[in-house]
Amino acid sequence: MATRDPRWVLKDRPSSALIIGLVLTGICALVSFSYDLFDRTPVQFFIGLALALAPVPMLLAAVLALDRMEPEPRSNLIFAFAWGAGIAVLAAGLINSLNLHYIIDAAKLSEASARNIAATFGAPVVEETMKGLVLLGLLRFRRAELDGPTDGIIYASMVGLGFAMSENVSYYIAALSTSGVKGLAVTVVLRGILSPLAHPLFSSMIGVAVAYAAQREGPERVFYILAGWSGAMILHGLWNGLASYGGFPGLVVAYLTLLVVLIVLIGVVFRDRRRIVALIQRYLPPYEPTKLVGQADIYMLSTFSRRRQARQWAKAHGGKRGLRAMRDYQLAATELGLLHERAARHMVDEQTFHEEQRALLECMSTARADFPVPAAHTRSIARGTPPPGYAPGAPG
């Protein structure tokens, strides 16, 4: 039996707007790459493209590892990445070029001095604005998907990774054509190895702010968004300024700053996980009379390690079908807790709440029906009320 997506079957189907958006972002990415392709030799272009693409799978895996408790719809994640790699890069590149020429003509500066000024004061405003627009779009059209700061960080990181990938192509080609293989190697180390998460970290300031704004009403939402946007631009400008004017000591300070921001954001993610666990422990016990949730289930759902142990148990005793059932159950139960929080914050109306509630309970029921029941488990149930096999240690 095919399982049903607990996030709603229709919610993650490619809509016409998504398809059109992906086509536009793809065209913008091709236009952006065409500048690099025709400006340099094809060999240089494909070397730069290969080096820019190489770390992307690992970086995506690192970002998506944060998104395990309540995974975001794939279509949203794909569009966020595509926006960063296509529309944001192309628009930012054009505006940055115009700014550079304006500074050269207006201030009568050398190209090198003008580039440093543009990188420190102009590029952060332009690039963070272009990346942040898609996050504002999520707040406007997909607000229900922003359940907390972790979601904001995930979407912002996807935009940032897409932007950095496309931008790195240009940097690698320029380094190879002007400084040869040695210059290319230095650039790859600095951008692809030592600072691959720089753009995601900058944009995460906006992502966290947008996520907080999604949970609130009134004028304070604007304050959160402006604060996050300012933080992203300041962090980006600080990074570029230290790299442009600070020399080696400046680079050290810049990398230490990014490290601190990364640690803080990881702390935000862990705190958000505890919040989601608290929602599960608060809102799911009233469903115990339905027999779809018990104390052992809540115990299992409360930590990543016990969730993983439950999936391993389900796969060992029920194969792929059992594993799929356990994954669906865990996701539906988590979404149910988040649905109650959205209702408490008046983010969904009563009709929508009841419709999604019924759908999620149906998913949980279907998933439980596919749980494997080993013989040892059946005998222990007959003897009393021990915890099920997928939640050892739970209260009886």
Side-chain angles (χ1 to χ4, degrees):
M1 179 183 298
T3 58
R4 186 179 184 186
D5 186 349
R7 291 186 301 267
W8 271 116
V9 176
L10 298 177
K11 181 178 289 188
D12 204 21
R13 283 183 178 173
S15 64
S16 299
L18 172 65
I19 294 172
I20 293 172
L22 289 175
V23 170
L24 290 176
T25 57
I27 292 173
C28 289
L30 290 175
V31 172
S32 177
F33 287 148
S34 69
Y35 284 111
D36 295 318
L37 178 60
F38 295 124
D39 191 44
R40 310 291 180 180
T41 66
V43 172
Q44 291 175 334
F45 170 77
F46 285 110
I47 289 174
L49 180 62
L51 290 172
L53 287 172
V56 170
M58 181 180 64
L59 296 173
L60 289 175
V63 171
L64 295 178
L66 304 176
D67 195 32
R68 291 177 295 163
M69 181 165 280
E70 187 256 331
E72 297 306 301
R74 293 177 183 177
S75 59
N76 290 356
L77 297 173
I78 292 171
F79 182 74
F81 183 88
W83 177 279
I87 293 176
V89 159
L90 179 60
L94 292 174
I95 297 172
N96 285 338
S97 296
L98 293 174
N99 284 341
L100 177 61
H101 289 298
Y102 175 79
I103 293 172
I104 293 175
D105 294 337
K108 306 300 181 183
L109 296 174
S110 66
E111 183 175 346
S113 298
R115 283 187 181 278
N116 288 338
I117 293 174
T120 303
F121 301 101
V125 175
V126 174
E127 294 176 9
E128 296 312 317
T129 296
M130 294 310 305
K131 288 186 291 179
L133 287 177
V134 74
L135 300 174
L136 283 185
L138 282 169
L139 178 62
R140 174 65 179 85
F141 300 107
R142 294 287 188 272
R143 182 183 175 189
E145 296 297 340
L146 295 169
D147 291 304
T150 298
D151 293 348
I153 292 172
I154 295 298
Y155 286 120
S157 296
M158 295 300 289
V159 179
L161 287 177
F163 190 97
M165 181 199 71
S166 292
E167 188 182 54
N168 281 346
V169 175
S170 299
Y171 275 96
Y172 293 161
I173 293 173
L176 180 60
S177 62
T178 58
S179 304
V181 175
K182 183 177 180 180
L184 174 63
V186 172
T187 305
V188 169
V189 169
L190 291 176
R191 295 188 63 87
I193 298 176
L194 296 181
S195 60
L197 294 177
H199 273 290
L201 290 177
F202 303 152
S203 302
S204 290
M205 303 295 101
I206 305 175
V208 171
V210 166
Y212 276 118
Q215 306 296 316
R216 289 159 176 80
E217 300 288 348
E220 64 176 318
R221 299 175 67 192
V222 177
F223 169 78
Y224 280 112
I225 293 172
L226 291 178
W229 221 290
S230 300
M233 291 187 293
I234 291 172
L235 183 61
H236 194 161
L238 181 65
W239 168 267
N240 286 356
L242 288 170
S244 299
Y245 298 106
F248 181 76
L251 280 177
V252 172
V253 174
Y255 280 108
L256 288 176
T257 302
L258 284 190
L259 179 61
V260 171
V261 172
L262 177 62
I263 293 172
V264 170
L265 289 177
I266 291 174
V268 169
V269 170
F270 278 100
R271 182 179 179 182
D272 195 36
R273 287 179 180 176
R274 290 195 295 270
R275 178 186 66 87
I276 295 175
V277 168
L279 293 176
I280 292 171
Q281 295 171 340
R282 175 181 178 184
Y283 289 115
L284 264 61
Y287 289 95
E288 289 188 20
T290 66
K291 305 299 182 183
L292 296 178
V293 180
Q295 291 185 12
D297 302 306
I298 296 172
Y299 175 81
M300 176 269 291
L301 291 165
S302 296
T303 67
F304 269 114
S305 60
R306 291 197 286 268
R307 284 173 175 244
R308 182 175 61 253
Q309 184 179 35
R311 293 193 298 271
Q312 292 171 345
W313 175 89
K315 183 177 181 180
H317 295 286
K320 292 183 178 179
R321 180 175 177 175
L323 175 61
R324 187 167 57 246
M326 183 60 71
R327 282 176 172 168
D328 282 0
Y329 180 84
Q330 291 177 347
L331 179 55
T334 304
E335 288 283 0
L336 185 59
L338 291 168
L339 176 63
H340 275 277
E341 184 191 39
R342 290 196 291 271
R345 292 182 178 274
H346 305 291
M347 293 175 62
V348 294
D349 56 44
E350 186 174 353
Q351 179 181 352
T352 302
F353 170 79
H354 288 301
E355 288 177 354
E356 297 201 14
Q357 180 190 46
R358 283 195 300 270
L360 291 170
L361 291 174
E362 178 185 340
C363 291
M364 293 169 67
S365 176
T366 301
R368 286 195 78 97
D370 285 341
F371 278 8
V373 183
H377 187 188
T378 303
R379 290 194 297 271
S380 62
I381 288 178
R383 288 197 299 268
T385 57
Y390 57 81

